[in-house]
Amino acid sequence: MVDANKDFKKRLQKITFKALKATLKGVFFYAIYFVLSMFLAPISEIVPGFQRMVETFVMVYIFLIIVGELTSGTIFQHFLNAAKALFVILYLILSFKGGIMGITFQNINLIVDLRLFLIIAMLLSLLGFAKSILQAINFLNEKTEYSHI
Amino acid sequence: MRIPIRIIGIATAFFWIILIVFSVSAAYSVKDLQFDFGEPQIGVTLDNKILFSLPITIINKGYYNIGFFNVTTEVSDKEGFTITQGTTFIPIIKKGEGITTTHNATIDVNDLLQSNQNYLFNNTELKILEVVSMRIAEVIPVQASTNLSIAWGAPLYNFTLGEIEYTVSNQTHLRAIIPISFENHAFFDLTGSIQICMYNSTNMLVDEGQTIIEARQNSPYRGYIELYVLTAEMTETGCFEVYFLTPFFSYGPLVIPYG
């Protein structure tokens, strides 16, 4: 009875710690976005939909961070990290329309070539994806070794 | 395996931070770029070409240099035939520096007449494609373009030869006075000469003469050319061949029948 109580307390502590960590990570990430958004304000004024595009990205990314943190210590954490990396790649490709963005503003056509940025971001995301796969392999490996012992 | 994974994680995070900080600061520094396009001016070059000049001042107060700053002006007619193209290129505008330059584009009226001779006699519109491109922080290419149209004023608008007045000069010759009129709608003063060759109905050159013209921009011109023709060679019908010779263009013959 005492063991069960202790176990429950331990689990609760663990979950609370995870939730706290997830919240802190989410808040930290949002704070970074908040600071950066002030610098990006001039672009938001020129490019319609830019603010919404960034907001959607941040929302989904924070959601994946929180869920990933809550599932830490399980294989799902690594799946979510891989999903996060894939989400970044897909979102960048879709929102940046292949890297060449064009807008028309009062008879002026503005074209911004962000292909270099996109390539670097995608390579970094692929590196993140590879890291998640390695982490998943390592996790399963360690689990198997632990269960053998 | 944990250490390599951690190293990958640290490296990825490091490069992400660099990428994000660079992108955001580059985007933010765009607001500290000042472009000042002055009043466009139209003049004439020493070799009598029409010169469009646009003073441009760029002040880069951003965090990064601006590279490959390029301004291109392409003037074309309604059919899309390119009449002229002018390019101004500045390899680098360093941060904290300002640059003033003049973007020039010249139009050779003779080239213009090759595409369409109506530019001499009819007012029309010319299309201008203005393209400004640069590399923000020397790596992010940005291009802005716009289409404009400017009115082209014909230098010999409504060119007409009036009714010929004949007077007897002597027993064998007639004095023919041919009135000339047109309006100079061009943005330059027109000076030069007009030469007229008179042919009778058998295509025989009866006489030729020329006159000096001087027409200020947006003003009418009225003048005449005197010809002395043999009475025997005169016919009721025929034609004039008109040649124009000005510093800006040479054109002819313009065939105008009479009678």
Side-chain angles (χ1 to χ4, degrees):
Chain A
M1 182 73 185
V2 178
D3 274 357
N5 234 353
K6 259 188 176 177
D7 199 40
F8 176 74
K9 263 190 177 177
K10 224 176 185 180
R11 276 189 175 182
L12 194 71
Q13 250 180 354
K14 213 175 174 183
I15 289 168
T16 314
F17 179 70
K18 274 184 187 178
L20 196 71
K21 206 177 163 188
T23 312
L24 282 174
K25 266 195 170 181
V27 169
F28 178 69
F29 194 81
Y30 186 80
I32 289 172
Y33 158 71
F34 188 75
V35 172
L36 293 180
S37 67
M38 286 192 286
F39 289 95
L40 291 170
I43 295 181
S44 306
E45 285 168 18
I46 301 167
V47 184
F50 180 77
Q51 183 86 13
R52 210 178 58 189
M53 188 179 90
V54 177
E55 273 173 5
T56 311
F57 175 79
V58 169
M59 267 165 56
V60 177
Y61 201 79
I62 288 176
F63 173 77
L64 288 172
I65 284 175
I66 292 169
V67 178
E69 205 53 54
L70 289 174
T71 55
S72 66
T74 66
I75 190 73
F76 297 111
Q77 183 195 14
H78 307 300
F79 285 160
L80 281 164
N81 282 342
K84 205 164 65 181
L86 287 176
F87 164 74
V88 172
I89 293 171
L90 289 174
Y91 199 84
L92 284 175
I93 290 172
L94 289 174
S95 56
F96 284 108
K97 289 162 191 163
I100 296 176
M101 293 181 79
I103 53 159
T104 305
F105 180 74
Q106 290 177 352
N107 195 31
I108 296 170
N109 300 313
L110 190 71
I111 297 168
V112 184
D113 187 349
L114 294 169
R115 281 179 297 183
L116 185 69
F117 168 80
L118 196 65
I119 288 167
I120 296 170
M122 278 167 64
L123 284 175
L124 287 175
S125 295
L126 278 175
L127 209 59
F129 180 72
K131 190 191 105 182
S132 302
I133 300 293
L134 283 175
Q135 276 179 322
I137 293 166
N138 186 50
F139 178 81
L140 289 175
N141 202 20
E142 280 179 357
K143 208 176 174 187
T144 316
E145 274 177 21
Y146 184 74
S147 60
H148 274 297
I149 292 163
Chain B
M1 201 162 174
R2 277 195 169 187
I3 294 167
I5 290 170
R6 187 153 286 183
I7 288 169
I8 292 172
I10 291 166
T12 312
F14 175 73
F15 285 117
W16 264 121
I17 288 166
I18 288 177
L19 185 70
I20 289 168
V21 168
F22 171 75
S23 308
V24 171
S25 57
Y28 184 70
S29 72
V30 172
K31 79 167 186 51
D32 295 323
L33 262 179
Q34 287 176 16
F35 294 99
D36 184 22
F37 292 92
E39 198 68 33
Q41 288 168 349
I42 298 167
V44 180
T45 61
L46 289 171
D47 54 348
N48 291 311
K49 287 177 183 170
I50 298 163
L51 173 74
F52 290 95
S53 38
L54 182 72
I56 305 169
T57 305
I58 310 134
I59 300 165
N60 180 13
K61 288 180 183 169
Y63 306 132
Y64 302 100
N65 296 341
I66 299 293
F68 299 94
F69 183 83
N70 193 45
V71 182
T72 302
T73 303
E74 192 180 288
V75 182
S76 57
D77 62 12
K78 277 181 180 174
E79 283 77 39
F81 177 82
T82 304
I83 296 158
T84 187
Q85 199 176 43
T87 301
T88 302
F89 178 72
I90 302 168
I92 195 161
I93 304 163
K94 289 187 176 165
K95 57 179 176 179
E97 278 187 8
I99 280 180
T100 302
T101 186
T102 307
H103 172 61
N104 293 326
T106 52
I107 291 182
D108 189 338
V109 183
N110 281 315
D111 291 347
L112 194 68
L113 294 178
Q114 277 179 7
S115 73
N116 193 341
Q117 290 158 358
N118 282 328
Y119 287 114
L120 277 185
F121 308 105
N122 296 315
N123 295 338
T124 183
E125 274 192 343
L126 295 177
K127 287 179 182 173
I128 295 180
L129 172 67
E130 200 75 51
V131 182
V132 180
S133 62
M134 72 189 100
R135 285 192 179 186
I136 293 168
E138 297 184 69
V139 283
I140 305 167
V142 177
Q143 182 185 292
S145 61
T146 186
N147 282 304
L148 310 162
S149 62
I150 54 160
W152 168 262
L156 298 167
Y157 182 79
N158 200 21
F159 179 84
T160 42
L161 297 180
E163 201 67 38
I164 310 164
E165 287 176 31
Y166 295 104
T167 50
V168 178
S169 177
N170 54 41
Q171 282 185 338
T172 54
H173 282 79
L174 284 175
R175 182 171 168 246
I177 296 171
I178 307 153
I180 301 166
S181 66
F182 65 87
E183 289 166 31
N184 178 13
H185 286 184
F187 41 77
F188 50 85
D189 295 339
L190 191 68
T191 53
S193 65
I194 294 177
Q195 186 189 7
I196 290 183
C197 299
M198 188 176 185
Y199 292 88
N200 64 15
S201 57
T202 59
N203 263 342
M204 182 187 168
L205 179 65
V206 179
D207 195 19
E208 59 184 320
Q210 68 171 28
T211 187
I212 302 292
I213 52 166
E214 206 175 308
R216 290 197 156 272
Q217 51 179 296
N218 293 314
S219 66
Y221 172 85
R222 273 184 184 77
Y224 63 88
I225 285 184
E226 272 185 13
L227 299 178
Y228 290 90
V229 295
L230 269 170
T231 316
E233 289 177 352
M234 272 303 297
T235 53
E236 273 188 23
T237 57
C239 68
F240 293 113
E241 281 187 357
V242 188
Y243 296 86
F244 303 91
L245 190 69
T246 74
F248 297 104
F249 59 88
S250 303
Y251 178 71
L254 171 71
V255 180
I256 301 172
Y258 68 86

